[in-house]
Amino acid sequence: MATQPQQAPFQWTREPRAVDALDQALRENPQVLPVHTEKWDVSRSDIYVEDRWQPIFKEMRAAGDLHKVESSPFGSHWNVVSHRAIQHIEALPELYSSAGGITILEAMSDEKLAELGRERFELPMFIAMDRPKHTGQRRTVAPKFTPSNMADMEGDIRRRTGELLDTLPRGKVFDWVDTVSIELTTGMLALLFDFPWEDRRLLTFWSDWAGDTEIALVRELDLQRQGILREMGAYFMQLWQDRASKEPSGDLISMMIHSPAMNQMSPEEFMGNLVLLIVGGNDTTRNTMSGIIHAFDKFPDQRKLFENDPSLIPGAVQEVLRYQTPLAHMRRVATEDSELFGQTVKAGERLVLWYISANRDETVFDNPDTLDITRENARRHLSFGYGIHRCVGARLAELQLRVLLEEMHARRMRVHVAGDVERVRANFVHGFRKLEVEITEF
């Protein structure tokens, strides 16, 4: 069980959630976000919050594997939209580097920072590193996610999931995102870090502020985010100092401290890897747990198949990961000039790999806009990435999703969408901020 909270030596700022802060900024000034002028600039968040991104990517895929965007608020970049092109790029990490960041955000030049009166704020993390440094740091945390460790963790995951499902109200509308998806994933993160249990919701709070790329386009919110992430670093530094004085244990912080590849990290690199593990461990699973409910409600024939045949659950997990695609993109940078599916990519140009498009690629998945839990090739989804940067916690995410469906089935629980559905306004995290539901039985 995660540790009990210790008294912090200073007060944490209790800021609003990232999504609420951005909404407030938009209400006060609808023009606070830059205008996107290009037809295929899919960095715009409105197409995701309004769930109308599908035809735009379909049109792009029909026109080619990748397309140049020149005047995005996030800077010029290539939109890589086909399954084959993304796999090809991910398979060549020396030619298409991960160094410098994983999202569409472009690092500002020193001149631009000076013009805006801002300081450089970067958080290195191993997913945004190339070999060999990436290899050593990834190997530090990878043992936490081996098949044997997953088997050891399953009993606890099943117990916590079942206990939570047994507390859910009947005959009453409630928010599935907050009550189930956030609670289960935040609890799992707290256990992985051996994080103070009563403060576990801070992990979700930090994850939301770290993963919202739109905030970086609003100067005041970006500065607010930097302050929040520094507080996160200060909190974790206390835990680091505590674990450093103790014998090695199995939690992720202790594993980092006692690893030659990670125990000399700068404070910024420590924060960066924490952000990686928190966002990766939180958003992928949380948004898929919500996506399962929304997709089953949208495709009741698939929900019926699940209810009639629980042996379909492992395949259903893969299909919902494909259908939901909880992280919409990753970013790479060309290290030299190359020819790529009929286009010339110059050294230094950024390539944004739209997983959300690859998972709807008609050349790979039949009827890709339809949920089909019997789909034979659902596991070909790219929701966890591909190659050396494939999500290190993929097995844990799959385990949590499988257990949730199994425990729902064991209770003959049917979840209906019964109220507001609000999506996240973001081009990186793809998920739900609210999903009001009601429970019945089948």
Side-chain angles (χ1 to χ4, degrees), residues 162-293:
E163 289 176 354
L164 178 62
L165 294 180
D166 287 339
T167 67
L168 298 179
R170 300 297 193 272
K172 177 183 176 182
V173 175
F174 67 96
D175 180 11
W176 181 270
V177 173
D178 186 72
T179 308
V180 178
S181 302
I182 289 178
E183 188 59 29
L184 287 178
T185 53
T186 300
M188 188 73 254
L189 277 174
L191 293 170
L192 290 173
F193 285 117
D194 193 17
F195 190 86
W197 188 253
E198 295 303 317
D199 282 351
R200 66 190 183 281
R201 283 285 178 133
L202 280 172
L203 295 168
T204 302
F205 173 74
W206 292 328
S207 175
D208 290 345
W209 274 95
D212 192 336
T213 52
E214 291 288 280
I215 284 174
L217 299 178
V218 183
R219 181 179 185 276
E220 293 75 15
L221 294 183
D222 194 32
L223 293 174
Q224 187 176 352
R225 172 168 64 174
Q226 291 180 24
I228 288 169
L229 293 182
R230 286 191 174 96
E231 284 191 350
M232 179 199 76
Y235 191 111
F236 270 102
M237 193 56 68
Q238 291 182 338
L239 300 183
W240 179 284
Q241 292 166 352
D242 176 67
R243 308 289 158 80
S245 65
K246 298 178 179 178
E247 291 297 312
S249 60
D251 69 89
L252 287 171
I253 297 175
S254 182
M255 292 169 75
M256 285 191 251
I257 289 171
H258 298 283
S259 158
M262 300 184 85
N263 62 11
Q264 299 300 317
M265 289 185 294
S266 67
E268 290 78 16
E269 194 171 340
F270 178 47
M271 280 196 289
N273 279 315
L274 291 172
V275 167
L276 167 62
L277 294 168
I278 291 170
V279 174
N282 180 59
D283 285 302
T284 300
T285 313
R286 172 177 61 168
N287 288 317
T288 309
M289 284 180 172
S290 301
I292 286 170
I293 301 306

Side-chain angles (χ1 to χ4, degrees), residues 17 19-20 23 175 177 422-424 431-435:
R17 297 185 306 166
V19 290
D20 295 332
D23 280 355
D175 180 11
V177 173
E422 297 180 14
R423 298 175 185 272
V424 175
F432 298 85
R433 61 183 292 188
K434 179 186 286 188
L435 185 63

Side-chain angles (χ1 to χ4, degrees), residues 2-121:
T3 60
Q4 293 300 309
Q6 298 176 355
Q7 182 65 40
F10 54 93
Q11 294 295 314
W12 312 107
T13 59
R14 300 301 180 181
E15 305 283 356
R17 297 185 306 166
V19 290
D20 295 332
L22 184 56
D23 280 355
Q24 180 179 344
L26 286 167
R27 285 194 301 270
E28 293 173 354
N29 178 13
Q31 283 76 48
V32 70
L33 291 177
V35 175
H36 298 252
T37 59
E38 293 196 34
K39 175 184 177 184
W40 286 344
D41 182 5
V42 286
S43 69
R44 54 189 302 163
S45 61
D46 57 312
I47 64 175
Y48 304 104
V49 74
E50 297 167 9
D51 196 35
R52 55 183 180 85
W53 51 271
Q54 300 88 340
I56 304 172
F57 281 106
K58 184 176 183 179
E59 185 180 6
M60 267 198 285
R61 288 193 301 271
D65 297 86
L66 66 160
H67 306 277
K68 188 71 174 290
V69 175
E70 296 285 0
S71 59
S72 166
F74 292 95
S76 65
H77 59 271
W78 290 91
N79 283 333
V80 186
V81 295
S82 72
H83 191 281
R84 68 174 185 170
I86 290 176
Q87 276 197 329
H88 178 81
I89 290 167
E90 297 249 54
L92 298 170
E94 279 76 29
L95 181 55
Y96 303 108
S97 169
S98 300
I102 60 173
T103 75
I104 197 171
L105 286 175
E106 183 178 31
M108 289 187 186
S109 66
D110 292 338
E111 293 77 10
K112 185 66 174 177
L113 287 169
E115 177 188 331
L116 295 174
R118 297 167 67 173
E119 297 179 356
R120 187 169 299 283
F121 182 72

Side-chain angles (χ1 to χ4, degrees), residues 42 93 126 178 230 253-254 303 316 327 338 377 425 429 440:
V42 286
F126 68 78
D178 186 72
R230 286 191 174 96
I253 297 175
S254 182
R303 179 169 59 195
L327 293 178
S338 62
N377 69 342
R425 180 184 292 276
V429 172
T440 60

